[in-house]
Amino acid sequence: MQFQQIRKFSNSLERERHIAPLVVLRIAFGAVMFVSTVRFMLKGWVTEFYVKPVFHFTFYGFEWVKPLNETGLYFVYTLMALSCLCIMLGCFYRIASITFLILFLYCELLDKTYYLNHYYLVSLIAFLLTLVPAHRDFSVDAWRNSSIRVTQVPAWTISIFKIQLLIVYFYAGISKINYDWLIEALPLKIWLPAKERIPVVGSLFSYEWVAYFFSWFGAVFDLSIGFLLLNNRTRGLAYFFVIAFHLLTALLFKIGMFPFIMIALTLIFFSEDFHIKIINSLSTLFHFKTADSLQSDSSIRISKTLLPVLVIYFGLQLTIPFRHLFYPGDLFWTEEGYRFSWRVMLIEKSGTAFFYVEDANTHHKIEVMNSRYLSSYQEKMMTTQPDMILQYAHFLKNESEASGVKDPIVTVQSYVTLNGHGSRLFIDSSANLSKAKESFCHKSWILEQDQTGDRK
Protein backbone atom coordinates (compact mmCIF):
# COMPACT_ATOMS: atom_id res chain seq x y z
CA MET A 1 0.00 0.00 0.00
CA GLN A 2 2.78 2.39 0.98
CA PHE A 3 4.69 1.51 -2.19
CA GLN A 4 1.60 2.34 -4.28
CA GLN A 5 1.19 5.68 -2.52
CA ILE A 6 4.85 6.52 -3.08
CA ARG A 7 4.53 5.52 -6.73
CA LYS A 8 1.35 7.62 -7.08
CA PHE A 9 3.10 10.61 -5.50
CA SER A 10 6.12 10.11 -7.77
CA ASN A 11 3.89 9.95 -10.85
CA SER A 12 2.15 13.17 -9.82
CA LEU A 13 5.53 14.92 -9.66
CA GLU A 14 6.36 13.76 -13.19
CA ARG A 15 2.96 14.63 -14.69
CA GLU A 16 3.44 17.02 -17.61
CA ARG A 17 2.49 20.66 -17.22
CA HIS A 18 2.87 23.61 -19.58
CA ILE A 19 6.13 25.50 -19.08
CA ALA A 20 4.42 28.93 -19.18
CA PRO A 21 4.11 29.39 -15.36
CA LEU A 22 7.83 28.67 -15.02
CA VAL A 23 8.72 31.12 -17.78
CA VAL A 24 6.60 33.91 -16.25
CA LEU A 25 8.19 33.25 -12.84
CA ARG A 26 11.67 33.46 -14.39
CA ILE A 27 10.85 36.77 -16.10
CA ALA A 28 9.14 38.29 -13.03
CA PHE A 29 11.87 37.22 -10.59
CA GLY A 30 14.67 38.45 -12.88
CA ALA A 31 12.96 41.80 -13.45
CA VAL A 32 12.18 42.49 -9.79
CA MET A 33 15.66 41.47 -8.64
CA PHE A 34 17.27 43.61 -11.35
CA VAL A 35 15.37 46.66 -10.09
CA SER A 36 16.17 45.73 -6.49
CA THR A 37 19.90 45.33 -7.17
CA VAL A 38 20.21 48.58 -9.14
CA ARG A 39 18.18 50.37 -6.45
CA PHE A 40 20.58 49.05 -3.79
CA MET A 41 23.54 50.53 -5.66
CA LEU A 42 21.88 53.86 -6.49
CA LYS A 43 20.93 54.42 -2.86
CA GLY A 44 24.60 54.07 -1.91
CA TRP A 45 23.94 51.09 0.35
CA VAL A 46 26.94 49.15 -0.98
CA THR A 47 29.24 51.80 0.46
CA GLU A 48 27.16 52.55 3.54
CA PHE A 49 26.56 48.92 4.56
CA TYR A 50 29.74 47.14 3.55
CA VAL A 51 32.54 49.67 2.90
CA LYS A 52 32.29 52.29 5.67
CA PRO A 53 31.86 50.05 8.77
CA VAL A 54 35.14 48.82 10.23
CA PHE A 55 33.40 45.81 11.79
CA HIS A 56 30.84 43.38 10.37
CA PHE A 57 28.50 40.99 12.18
CA THR A 58 29.09 37.75 10.32
CA PHE A 59 26.88 34.68 10.63
CA TYR A 60 28.06 31.89 12.93
CA GLY A 61 30.23 29.51 10.86
CA PHE A 62 30.72 32.07 8.07
CA GLU A 63 33.27 34.33 9.75
CA TRP A 64 35.55 33.68 6.77
CA VAL A 65 33.25 35.65 4.45
CA LYS A 66 34.80 39.11 4.18
CA PRO A 67 33.84 42.17 2.10
CA LEU A 68 35.96 43.08 -0.91
CA ASN A 69 37.15 46.65 -1.33
CA GLU A 70 34.69 49.22 -2.69
CA THR A 71 35.59 48.59 -6.34
CA GLY A 72 35.28 44.84 -5.85
CA LEU A 73 31.90 45.15 -4.15
CA TYR A 74 30.47 47.37 -6.90
CA PHE A 75 31.76 44.84 -9.44
CA VAL A 76 29.91 42.11 -7.54
CA TYR A 77 26.66 44.10 -7.53
CA THR A 78 27.04 45.02 -11.21
CA LEU A 79 27.60 41.37 -12.08
CA MET A 80 24.59 40.47 -9.94
CA ALA A 81 22.41 42.97 -11.84
CA LEU A 82 23.59 41.53 -15.17
CA SER A 83 22.79 38.04 -13.88
CA CYS A 84 19.26 39.21 -13.09
CA LEU A 85 18.87 40.53 -16.64
CA CYS A 86 20.13 37.22 -18.06
CA ILE A 87 17.68 35.28 -15.85
CA MET A 88 14.83 37.50 -17.02
CA LEU A 89 15.79 37.03 -20.68
CA GLY A 90 16.70 33.37 -20.32
CA CYS A 91 20.18 34.14 -21.66
CA PHE A 92 22.88 31.69 -20.55
CA TYR A 93 20.30 30.85 -17.90
CA ARG A 94 22.14 28.09 -16.05
CA ILE A 95 25.28 30.19 -15.63
CA ALA A 96 23.29 33.31 -14.77
CA SER A 97 21.07 31.65 -12.14
CA ILE A 98 24.04 29.99 -10.40
CA THR A 99 26.08 33.21 -10.57
CA PHE A 100 23.23 35.23 -9.07
CA LEU A 101 22.74 32.70 -6.26
CA ILE A 102 26.43 32.70 -5.32
CA LEU A 103 26.79 36.49 -5.44
CA PHE A 104 23.56 37.12 -3.55
CA LEU A 105 24.52 34.65 -0.82
CA TYR A 106 27.96 36.24 -0.58
CA CYS A 107 26.46 39.71 -0.04
CA GLU A 108 23.91 38.45 2.49
CA LEU A 109 26.56 36.62 4.50
CA LEU A 110 28.73 39.71 4.85
CA ASP A 111 26.77 41.23 7.72
CA LYS A 112 23.67 39.90 9.53
CA THR A 113 22.82 43.44 10.58
CA TYR A 114 20.93 43.69 7.32
CA TYR A 115 19.19 40.30 7.49
CA LEU A 116 15.63 40.46 6.21
CA ASN A 117 13.15 37.67 5.64
CA HIS A 118 12.70 38.63 2.02
CA TYR A 119 16.46 38.39 1.39
CA TYR A 120 16.23 34.86 2.80
CA LEU A 121 13.29 34.14 0.49
CA VAL A 122 15.19 35.50 -2.53
CA SER A 123 18.08 33.14 -1.69
CA LEU A 124 15.69 30.16 -1.58
CA ILE A 125 13.88 31.05 -4.82
CA ALA A 126 17.24 31.63 -6.53
CA PHE A 127 18.37 28.18 -5.38
CA LEU A 128 15.19 26.51 -6.68
CA LEU A 129 15.54 28.33 -10.01
CA THR A 130 18.95 26.71 -10.52
CA LEU A 131 17.18 23.31 -10.47
CA VAL A 132 14.49 23.92 -13.10
CA PRO A 133 14.52 24.41 -16.91
CA ALA A 134 12.86 27.83 -16.86
CA HIS A 135 14.82 28.85 -19.98
CA ARG A 136 13.49 26.13 -22.31
CA ASP A 137 10.88 28.44 -23.93
CA PHE A 138 10.44 32.15 -24.64
CA SER A 139 14.12 32.81 -23.95
CA VAL A 140 17.30 33.86 -25.67
CA ASP A 141 18.69 30.38 -25.01
CA ALA A 142 15.73 28.76 -26.85
CA TRP A 143 16.10 31.31 -29.67
CA ARG A 144 19.82 30.54 -30.01
CA ASN A 145 19.27 26.79 -29.85
CA SER A 146 15.78 25.71 -30.83
CA SER A 147 16.54 22.06 -29.97
CA ILE A 148 16.19 22.84 -26.24
CA ARG A 149 12.71 24.32 -26.67
CA VAL A 150 9.91 22.51 -24.81
CA THR A 151 6.32 23.33 -23.96
CA GLN A 152 5.85 20.63 -21.35
CA VAL A 153 7.76 20.20 -18.08
CA PRO A 154 7.24 17.88 -15.09
CA ALA A 155 4.85 19.21 -12.46
CA TRP A 156 7.53 19.23 -9.75
CA THR A 157 9.38 22.08 -11.50
CA ILE A 158 6.39 24.33 -10.79
CA SER A 159 5.09 22.78 -7.57
CA ILE A 160 8.30 23.41 -5.61
CA PHE A 161 7.74 27.16 -5.86
CA LYS A 162 4.11 26.90 -4.75
CA ILE A 163 5.12 24.78 -1.75
CA GLN A 164 7.86 27.27 -0.82
CA LEU A 165 5.48 30.23 -0.91
CA LEU A 166 2.81 28.29 0.97
CA ILE A 167 5.34 27.62 3.74
CA VAL A 168 6.33 31.30 3.90
CA TYR A 169 2.78 32.56 4.33
CA PHE A 170 1.55 29.80 6.63
CA TYR A 171 4.51 29.99 8.98
CA ALA A 172 4.22 33.79 9.06
CA GLY A 173 0.62 33.23 10.17
CA ILE A 174 1.60 30.72 12.86
CA SER A 175 4.11 33.20 14.26
CA LYS A 176 1.29 35.74 14.71
CA ILE A 177 -0.59 33.42 17.08
CA ASN A 178 0.68 34.96 20.30
CA TYR A 179 -0.65 37.09 23.13
CA ASP A 180 0.90 40.39 22.12
CA TRP A 181 -0.25 40.20 18.47
CA LEU A 182 -3.83 38.96 18.95
CA ILE A 183 -4.84 40.18 22.41
CA GLU A 184 -2.78 43.39 22.79
CA ALA A 185 -2.62 44.28 19.04
CA LEU A 186 1.09 44.90 19.51
CA PRO A 187 3.21 46.20 17.92
CA LEU A 188 0.64 47.69 15.50
CA LYS A 189 -0.93 49.66 18.35
CA ILE A 190 2.45 51.42 18.66
CA TRP A 191 3.25 51.78 14.95
CA LEU A 192 -0.07 52.83 13.36
CA PRO A 193 -0.71 56.13 15.23
CA ALA A 194 2.60 57.38 13.82
CA LYS A 195 1.08 57.02 10.33
CA GLU A 196 -1.89 59.33 10.92
CA ARG A 197 -0.42 61.99 8.59
CA ILE A 198 -0.89 59.71 5.56
CA PRO A 199 -3.44 61.42 3.24
CA VAL A 200 -7.08 60.24 3.18
CA VAL A 201 -6.83 57.17 5.45
CA GLY A 202 -4.24 58.41 7.95
CA SER A 203 -6.76 59.62 10.53
CA LEU A 204 -8.06 56.05 10.92
CA PHE A 205 -4.73 54.84 12.26
CA SER A 206 -5.17 56.70 15.54
CA TYR A 207 -8.10 54.42 16.46
CA GLU A 208 -7.21 51.39 18.56
CA TRP A 209 -9.73 49.14 16.81
CA VAL A 210 -7.83 49.62 13.55
CA ALA A 211 -4.73 48.08 15.14
CA TYR A 212 -6.83 45.11 16.31
CA PHE A 213 -8.42 44.75 12.86
CA PHE A 214 -5.05 44.78 11.11
CA SER A 215 -3.56 42.32 13.63
CA TRP A 216 -6.35 39.77 13.21
CA PHE A 217 -6.65 40.30 9.46
CA GLY A 218 -2.88 39.86 9.08
CA ALA A 219 -2.94 36.57 10.99
CA VAL A 220 -5.94 35.19 9.04
CA PHE A 221 -4.45 36.40 5.75
CA ASP A 222 -1.10 34.65 6.32
CA LEU A 223 -2.69 31.42 7.56
CA SER A 224 -5.13 31.10 4.67
CA ILE A 225 -3.82 32.91 1.60
CA GLY A 226 -1.58 30.10 0.35
CA PHE A 227 -4.47 27.62 0.38
CA LEU A 228 -6.86 30.13 -1.23
CA LEU A 229 -4.32 30.69 -4.02
CA LEU A 230 -4.16 26.94 -4.63
CA ASN A 231 -7.93 26.72 -5.13
CA ASN A 232 -9.21 27.54 -8.63
CA ARG A 233 -12.45 29.04 -7.30
CA THR A 234 -10.86 31.40 -4.77
CA ARG A 235 -7.60 32.23 -6.59
CA GLY A 236 -8.76 35.46 -8.22
CA LEU A 237 -10.09 36.99 -5.01
CA ALA A 238 -7.07 35.71 -3.09
CA TYR A 239 -4.66 37.42 -5.49
CA PHE A 240 -6.63 40.65 -5.13
CA PHE A 241 -6.02 40.42 -1.37
CA VAL A 242 -2.33 39.64 -2.03
CA ILE A 243 -1.98 42.87 -4.01
CA ALA A 244 -4.02 44.95 -1.53
CA PHE A 245 -2.23 43.53 1.53
CA HIS A 246 1.29 43.99 0.20
CA LEU A 247 0.67 47.45 -1.26
CA LEU A 248 -0.77 48.57 2.07
CA THR A 249 2.27 47.27 3.96
CA ALA A 250 4.50 49.02 1.40
CA LEU A 251 2.61 52.26 2.11
CA LEU A 252 2.82 51.94 5.89
CA PHE A 253 6.26 50.48 6.49
CA LYS A 254 9.77 50.66 5.06
CA ILE A 255 10.07 47.06 3.89
CA GLY A 256 11.81 47.66 0.58
CA MET A 257 11.05 45.34 -2.32
CA PHE A 258 9.35 42.62 -0.25
CA PRO A 259 5.74 43.51 -1.26
CA PHE A 260 6.64 43.57 -4.96
CA ILE A 261 8.58 40.30 -4.73
CA MET A 262 5.56 38.56 -3.19
CA ILE A 263 3.13 40.07 -5.72
CA ALA A 264 5.38 38.82 -8.55
CA LEU A 265 6.10 35.36 -7.13
CA THR A 266 2.50 34.48 -6.26
CA LEU A 267 1.59 34.63 -9.96
CA ILE A 268 2.92 31.06 -10.06
CA PHE A 269 -0.37 29.89 -8.49
CA PHE A 270 -2.39 30.89 -11.55
CA SER A 271 -3.44 28.41 -14.23
CA GLU A 272 -1.47 27.44 -17.31
CA ASP A 273 -3.93 29.33 -19.53
CA PHE A 274 -3.33 32.54 -17.58
CA HIS A 275 0.44 32.29 -18.09
CA ILE A 276 0.10 31.23 -21.73
CA LYS A 277 -1.89 34.43 -22.36
CA ILE A 278 0.92 36.48 -20.78
CA ILE A 279 3.53 34.72 -22.94
CA ASN A 280 1.43 35.19 -26.07
CA SER A 281 1.01 38.91 -25.31
CA LEU A 282 4.75 39.32 -24.78
CA SER A 283 5.46 37.32 -27.93
CA THR A 284 3.24 39.64 -29.95
CA LEU A 285 4.74 42.73 -28.34
CA PHE A 286 8.36 41.72 -28.96
CA HIS A 287 7.76 39.67 -32.15
CA PHE A 288 9.23 36.65 -30.40
CA LYS A 289 8.41 33.16 -31.67
CA THR A 290 7.46 30.42 -29.21
CA ALA A 291 6.86 26.73 -29.73
CA ASP A 292 3.76 26.16 -31.87
CA SER A 293 3.26 22.48 -30.97
CA LEU A 294 3.54 20.39 -27.84
CA GLN A 295 7.15 19.50 -27.14
CA SER A 296 8.60 17.70 -24.16
CA ASP A 297 11.95 16.27 -23.12
CA SER A 298 12.01 12.97 -21.26
CA SER A 299 15.40 13.88 -19.76
CA ILE A 300 13.76 16.55 -17.57
CA ARG A 301 12.94 14.23 -14.70
CA ILE A 302 13.36 14.37 -10.98
CA SER A 303 16.55 12.35 -10.70
CA LYS A 304 17.57 9.95 -7.96
CA THR A 305 20.00 12.62 -6.79
CA LEU A 306 17.61 15.55 -6.90
CA LEU A 307 14.69 13.86 -5.11
CA PRO A 308 16.51 13.41 -1.77
CA VAL A 309 17.89 16.96 -2.11
CA LEU A 310 14.34 18.33 -2.36
CA VAL A 311 13.10 16.11 0.47
CA ILE A 312 15.89 17.37 2.75
CA TYR A 313 15.36 20.95 1.57
CA PHE A 314 11.64 21.03 2.36
CA GLY A 315 12.20 19.01 5.54
CA LEU A 316 14.50 21.80 6.74
CA GLN A 317 12.01 24.44 5.64
CA LEU A 318 9.31 22.80 7.75
CA THR A 319 11.43 22.24 10.88
CA ILE A 320 13.89 25.15 11.13
CA PRO A 321 11.19 27.69 12.15
CA PHE A 322 10.44 25.53 15.21
CA ARG A 323 14.04 25.29 16.47
CA HIS A 324 13.28 27.99 19.03
CA LEU A 325 11.41 25.32 21.04
CA PHE A 326 14.78 23.93 22.11
CA TYR A 327 15.67 27.21 23.85
CA PRO A 328 14.33 28.41 27.21
CA GLY A 329 12.60 31.74 27.61
CA ASP A 330 10.49 33.99 25.39
CA LEU A 331 11.60 33.85 21.75
CA PHE A 332 10.82 37.52 21.22
CA TRP A 333 13.02 38.42 24.19
CA THR A 334 16.02 36.13 23.59
CA GLU A 335 15.72 35.93 19.76
CA GLU A 336 17.37 32.50 19.93
CA GLY A 337 15.99 30.77 16.83
CA TYR A 338 14.30 33.92 15.52
CA ARG A 339 15.92 34.28 12.09
CA PHE A 340 15.06 32.06 9.10
CA SER A 341 11.58 31.35 10.48
CA TRP A 342 9.30 33.81 8.62
CA ARG A 343 8.62 36.04 11.62
CA VAL A 344 7.84 39.26 9.80
CA MET A 345 7.40 42.55 11.68
CA LEU A 346 6.20 40.91 14.87
CA ILE A 347 7.92 42.99 17.53
CA GLU A 348 8.85 46.55 18.41
CA LYS A 349 12.17 46.23 20.18
CA SER A 350 14.79 48.80 21.00
CA GLY A 351 17.59 49.14 23.48
CA THR A 352 20.89 50.59 24.59
CA ALA A 353 24.18 48.85 25.22
CA PHE A 354 27.13 50.31 27.12
CA PHE A 355 30.26 48.19 26.77
CA TYR A 356 33.13 48.25 29.25
CA VAL A 357 36.65 46.83 28.90
CA GLU A 358 38.63 46.20 32.07
CA ASP A 359 42.26 45.14 32.38
CA ALA A 360 42.17 42.08 34.68
CA ASN A 361 45.65 42.88 35.99
CA THR A 362 45.41 46.64 36.63
CA HIS A 363 41.59 46.84 36.96
CA HIS A 364 41.68 49.91 34.75
CA LYS A 365 38.22 50.14 33.17
CA ILE A 366 37.02 52.18 30.22
CA GLU A 367 33.67 52.64 28.49
CA VAL A 368 33.74 51.88 24.76
CA MET A 369 32.55 54.43 22.23
CA ASN A 370 30.47 52.17 19.99
CA SER A 371 30.35 54.80 17.26
CA ARG A 372 34.09 54.32 16.82
CA TYR A 373 33.50 50.86 15.34
CA LEU A 374 29.83 50.61 14.39
CA SER A 375 27.46 52.54 12.18
CA SER A 376 24.35 53.86 13.89
CA TYR A 377 22.25 51.16 12.23
CA GLN A 378 24.64 48.37 13.25
CA GLU A 379 24.55 49.62 16.85
CA LYS A 380 20.75 49.84 16.81
CA MET A 381 20.40 46.24 15.60
CA MET A 382 23.12 44.92 17.90
CA THR A 383 21.61 46.26 21.12
CA THR A 384 18.64 43.87 21.01
CA GLN A 385 20.24 40.72 19.57
CA PRO A 386 22.38 38.66 21.97
CA ASP A 387 24.49 36.90 19.34
CA MET A 388 25.53 40.27 17.91
CA ILE A 389 26.30 41.59 21.41
CA LEU A 390 28.59 38.59 21.96
CA GLN A 391 30.27 38.99 18.60
CA TYR A 392 30.96 42.66 19.29
CA ALA A 393 32.34 41.80 22.74
CA HIS A 394 34.78 39.36 21.13
CA PHE A 395 35.81 42.07 18.68
CA LEU A 396 36.47 44.47 21.59
CA LYS A 397 38.54 41.77 23.30
CA ASN A 398 40.70 41.38 20.19
CA GLU A 399 41.07 45.15 19.84
CA SER A 400 42.12 45.46 23.50
CA GLU A 401 44.66 42.65 23.21
CA ALA A 402 46.08 44.29 20.10
CA SER A 403 46.54 47.51 22.07
CA GLY A 404 48.46 45.74 24.85
CA VAL A 405 45.81 44.60 27.35
CA LYS A 406 46.75 40.96 28.09
CA ASP A 407 43.57 39.77 29.79
CA PRO A 408 40.63 42.08 28.98
CA ILE A 409 37.29 41.66 30.71
CA VAL A 410 34.40 42.76 28.50
CA THR A 411 31.02 43.47 30.09
CA VAL A 412 27.87 45.22 28.91
CA GLN A 413 25.02 47.09 30.48
CA SER A 414 22.16 46.53 28.09
CA TYR A 415 18.56 47.69 28.51
CA VAL A 416 15.81 46.61 26.14
CA THR A 417 12.15 47.46 25.71
CA LEU A 418 9.90 44.95 23.93
CA ASN A 419 6.51 45.92 22.50
CA GLY A 420 6.29 48.91 24.83
CA HIS A 421 6.43 46.85 28.04
CA GLY A 422 9.11 49.02 29.61
CA SER A 423 12.89 49.00 29.62
CA ARG A 424 14.49 45.96 31.31
CA LEU A 425 18.03 44.84 31.97
CA PHE A 426 18.74 42.45 29.09
CA ILE A 427 22.19 40.95 29.67
CA ASP A 428 23.87 39.85 32.91
CA SER A 429 26.13 42.87 33.45
CA SER A 430 28.55 40.79 35.56
CA ALA A 431 29.22 38.28 32.76
CA ASN A 432 32.65 38.48 31.15
CA LEU A 433 31.58 38.15 27.51
CA SER A 434 35.17 37.87 26.31
CA LYS A 435 35.18 34.33 27.78
CA ALA A 436 31.71 33.35 26.49
CA LYS A 437 31.72 31.05 23.48
CA GLU A 438 29.44 31.38 20.48
CA SER A 439 27.47 28.25 19.65
CA PHE A 440 23.95 27.06 18.90
CA CYS A 441 23.46 26.41 22.63
CA HIS A 442 21.41 28.67 24.91
CA LYS A 443 23.22 31.81 26.06
CA SER A 444 22.95 31.65 29.84
CA TRP A 445 23.95 35.29 30.28
CA ILE A 446 20.67 36.53 28.74
CA LEU A 447 18.54 37.51 31.73
CA GLU A 448 15.19 35.76 31.98
CA GLN A 449 12.06 37.85 32.04
CA ASP A 450 11.22 37.02 35.65
CA GLN A 451 14.61 38.46 36.58
CA THR A 452 14.03 41.63 34.63
CA GLY A 453 10.47 42.49 35.51
CA ASP A 454 6.94 41.41 34.79
CA ARG A 455 5.64 41.28 31.28
CA LYS A 456 2.18 40.17 30.33
Side-chain angles (χ1 to χ4, degrees):
M1 184 65 180
Q2 286 183 341
F3 176 77
Q4 288 180 338
Q5 288 177 333
I6 293 173
R7 188 174 180 180
K8 187 177 178 181
F9 175 69
S10 178
N11 288 338
S12 70
L13 294 176
E14 296 293 354
R15 196 168 50 219
E16 287 193 342
R17 288 284 181 264
H18 200 283
I19 194 174
L22 209 52
V23 172
V24 172
L25 177 74
R26 184 201 81 215
I27 296 172
F29 181 79
V32 173
M33 291 316 302
F34 174 75
V35 172
S36 178
T37 306
V38 172
R39 173 177 175 265
F40 197 93
M41 288 191 287
L42 292 178
K43 281 186 170 289
W45 288 344
V46 176
T47 302
E48 184 178 344
F49 290 177
Y50 301 125
V51 177
K52 287 184 178 179
V54 297
F55 174 72
H56 293 282
F57 292 95
T58 52
F59 286 88
Y60 180 53
F62 291 92
E63 294 81 2
W64 50 274
V65 180
K66 302 294 182 186
L68 300 169
N69 60 28
E70 187 167 12
T71 303
L73 283 168
Y74 272 98
F75 176 76
V76 165
Y77 271 85
T78 302
L79 191 57
M80 195 162 27
L82 291 174
S83 300
C84 295
L85 273 182
C86 288
I87 291 172
M88 182 182 72
L89 298 173
C91 180
F92 299 105
Y93 172 77
R94 290 295 184 194
I95 297 173
S97 57
I98 294 172
T99 300
F100 174 78
L101 174 63
I102 293 173
L103 295 180
F104 193 83
L105 286 176
Y106 165 72
C107 295
E108 295 316 302
L109 290 173
L110 287 176
D111 198 327
K112 61 189 170 192
T113 302
Y114 313 110
Y115 168 84
L116 292 172
N117 282 290
H118 77 264
Y119 289 159
Y120 176 41
L121 176 61
V122 167
S123 304
L124 298 177
I125 296 297
F127 167 70
L128 295 178
L129 278 172
T130 64
L131 306 178
V132 299
H135 63 308
R136 299 288 293 268
D137 193 24
F138 197 70
S139 68
V140 173
D141 286 346
W143 172 72
R144 289 170 51 241
N145 181 8
S146 59
S147 66
I148 71 166
R149 182 172 292 161
V150 296
T151 58
Q152 307 296 304
V153 290
W156 67 265
T157 60
I158 298 170
S159 299
I160 55 177
F161 296 99
K162 294 180 181 178
I163 297 170
Q164 180 61 71
L165 292 171
L166 185 63
I167 291 172
V168 172
Y169 277 119
F170 188 68
Y171 275 60
I174 291 176
S175 69
K176 289 181 172 65
I177 303 175
N178 66 77
Y179 184 90
D180 275 3
W181 186 271
L182 296 177
I183 306 302
E184 295 282 353
L186 291 170
L188 291 179
K189 205 158 59 178
I190 299 172
W191 291 341
L192 289 183
K195 308 295 179 182
E196 63 181 357
R197 292 187 178 181
I198 292 177
V200 185
V201 296
S203 59
L204 291 173
F205 298 140
S206 59
Y207 295 102
E208 193 171 286
W209 67 266
V210 175
Y212 277 96
F213 174 78
F214 279 13
S215 293
W216 280 83
F217 178 80
V220 173
F221 174 85
D222 283 339
L223 287 169
S224 63
I225 198 67
F227 301 101
L228 295 175
L229 285 167
L230 282 172
N231 190 306
N232 289 336
R233 300 174 66 179
T234 56
R235 185 174 300 126
L237 181 62
Y239 193 68
F240 168 79
F241 279 115
V242 167
I243 294 174
F245 178 82
H246 287 299
L247 289 183
L248 181 61
T249 56
L251 175 69
L252 293 176
F253 310 111
K254 293 181 179 179
I255 49 179
M257 296 295 291
F258 179 68
F260 307 102
I261 291 172
M262 297 308 290
I263 290 172
L265 294 181
T266 45
L267 286 171
I268 192 72
F269 287 95
F270 279 89
S271 67
E272 294 177 2
D273 290 341
F274 173 84
H275 289 92
I276 290 171
K277 287 179 182 176
I278 293 177
I279 298 297
N280 289 339
S281 298
L282 292 174
S283 298
T284 303
L285 183 63
F286 295 105
H287 306 289
F288 205 94
K289 185 180 179 182
T290 58
D292 51 8
S293 60
L294 293 180
Q295 300 176 26
S296 60
D297 184 345
S298 59
S299 66
I300 308 174
R301 290 183 174 277
I302 189 163
S303 66
K304 292 181 180 179
T305 305
L306 184 57
L307 181 59
V309 169
L310 290 176
V311 170
I312 294 171
Y313 171 87
F314 283 111
L316 291 173
Q317 285 297 302
L318 292 171
T319 54
I320 284 177
F322 291 113
R323 71 191 188 282
H324 69 92
L325 297 175
F326 293 99
Y327 295 103
D330 183 348
L331 169 64
F332 293 169
W333 180 254
T334 67
E335 297 203 30
E336 292 182 300
Y338 193 90
R339 300 187 191 96
F340 310 109
S341 54
W342 312 119
R343 292 182 168 82
V344 184
M345 301 192 71
L346 282 180
I347 54 175
E348 167 62 31
K349 199 173 182 184
S350 60
T352 56
F354 303 96
F355 283 84
Y356 300 92
V357 176
E358 179 180 350
D359 188 324
N361 298 313
T362 65
H363 298 293
H364 176 66
K365 187 175 182 179
I366 61 167
E367 180 182 344
V368 177
M369 294 291 292
N370 294 331
S371 59
R372 182 179 175 187
Y373 305 109
L374 305 177
S375 68
S376 58
Y377 188 71
Q378 284 179 308
E379 183 175 3
K380 175 186 174 184
M381 300 304 290
M382 178 266 294
T383 55
T384 61
Q385 302 184 57
D387 61 336
M388 295 175 71
I389 288 176
L390 179 62
Q391 198 170 359
Y392 184 53
H394 288 174
F395 167 76
L396 294 176
K397 174 197 172 190
N398 294 335
E399 285 290 295
S400 300
E401 288 177 338
S403 64
V405 180
K406 291 184 179 179
D407 190 11
I409 298 171
V410 181
T411 56
V412 61
Q413 275 197 325
S414 173
Y415 292 88
V416 165
T417 174
L418 173 60
N419 282 346
H421 290 295
S423 183
R424 313 292 188 200
L425 192 60
F426 186 43
I427 303 296
D428 182 354
S429 54
S430 66
N432 179 5
L433 298 180
S434 70
K435 301 291 186 185
K437 303 293 185 185
E438 179 58 295
S439 72
F440 290 120
C441 297
H442 169 58
K443 294 173 174 56
S444 59
W445 35 267
I446 305 173
L447 294 180
E448 296 178 6
Q449 287 175 9
D450 58 357
Q451 291 176 268
T452 58
D454 294 332
R455 176 174 168 262
K456 290 181 180 179

